[in-house]
DNA sequence: TGTCTGCTTAGACAGACGTCAAGACAGGCG
DNA sequence: CGCCTGTCTTGACGTCTGTCTAAGCAGACA
């Protein structure tokens, strides 16, 4: 097997380097949009955005579900459902240790999205 | 009453400076999530993400709807609907000039979102 | 071993979303 | 003035999403 195959995903969401130039710099191709849109969609819900923030900002890099659930006026299954969405988008990872399940962020994808949305610092009145 | 009223928007999406610290640095409050999530949701559709890219990267800073529609296998009304969604999220602005309607990006909100999703450069293998 | 706690899965339901066809409106041109 | 082109709005339809209750599963502890 060669290192790169044609069937490899067009965009590698796990790469450390930005996968693509900023959205405002060049028109992004349909394939890139199809890969990145689901991650943005996953963050497009207030509950999931807060969950993502709680996980990503957690000390030690991980947080127990038992600490996430009481922070919302939602039932356990609903929180679990949102966490599953974040998991399937590749934004977080879960691991069971004994009784509890711990979630941790995958900063690579956040970096990809931040790079995608980045804009030049300012319109900068041209000289 | 103090200078700030409770009814003021918690987050100013049009400010040039980032409204809030990165999502991974501190847990974002519910109000912030409620304001920013809709913008992410709007970008969470592949068609709208491409539209946003086409508008934001357009030369001259604006683009005619007549140039956007033929780029997709979708009907005019559907593109118009997606553009309306982007408009209502505050991501773009529209202006009619004669027969055609021109769209232009609002980079402030993109900046807010990029700042929100930004992560420290790398985990940096500790010495 | 039995039971308890914590998390996920399964099923159901109201509401929102993406898409299209048809109609309405604005502006240009013969 | 009347028609034509280009875009937006409206209404409809099927699908997806967010939420809940009920049930299932995994591990801990007496």
């Amino acid at each position: 097997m060669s290192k790169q195959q044609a069937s490899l995903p067009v965009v590698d969401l796990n790469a450390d380097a930005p996968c693509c130039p900023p959205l405002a710099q060049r028109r992004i191709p349909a394939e890139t949009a199809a890969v990145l849109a689901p991650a943005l969609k996953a963050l497009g819900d207030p509950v999931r955005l807060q969950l993502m923030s709680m996980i990503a900002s957690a000390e030690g890099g991980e947080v127990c579900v038992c600490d996430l659930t009481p922070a919302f006026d939602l039932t356990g299954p609903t929180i679990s459902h949102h966490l599953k969405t974040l998991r399937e988008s590749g934004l977080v990872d879960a691991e069971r240790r004994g009784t509890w399940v711990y979630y941790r962020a995958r900063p690579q994808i956040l970096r990809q999205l931040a790079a995608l949305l980045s804009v030049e610092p300012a319109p900068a009145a041209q000289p």
Side-chain angles (χ1 to χ4, degrees), chain A residues 11-33:
Chain A
V11 177
D12 184 2
L13 287 178
N14 292 317
D16 273 332
C19 67
C20 12
L23 167 158
Q25 200 171 89
R26 177 158 16 133
R27 176 184 161 189
I28 63 176
E31 298 79 25
T32 305

Side-chain angles (χ1 to χ4, degrees), chain A residues 51 65 68-70 72-83:
Chain A
L51 283 170
V65 174
L68 297 174
T69 306
F72 301 87
D73 278 338
L74 295 171
T75 64
T78 298
I79 298 297
S80 184
H81 164 70
H82 284 304
L83 288 172

Side-chain angles (χ1 to χ4, degrees), chain A residues 5-7 13 16 21 29 33 37 40 45 49 54-55 62 69 75 78 104 108 116:
Chain A
Q5 293 195 342
S7 61
L13 287 178
D16 273 332
L40 290 168
D45 180 279
L49 193 55
M54 293 176 75
I55 296 172
E62 63 183 14
T69 306
T75 64
T78 298
R104 76 171 50 235
Q108 295 93 352
L116 181 76

Side-chain angles (χ1 to χ4, degrees), chain A residues 39-64:
Chain A
L40 290 168
K41 186 177 188 177
L43 293 176
D45 180 279
V47 172
R48 286 196 293 266
L49 193 55
Q50 282 185 84
L51 283 170
M52 188 69 210
S53 178
M54 293 176 75
I55 296 172
S57 68
E59 299 190 36
E62 63 183 14
V63 61
C64 172

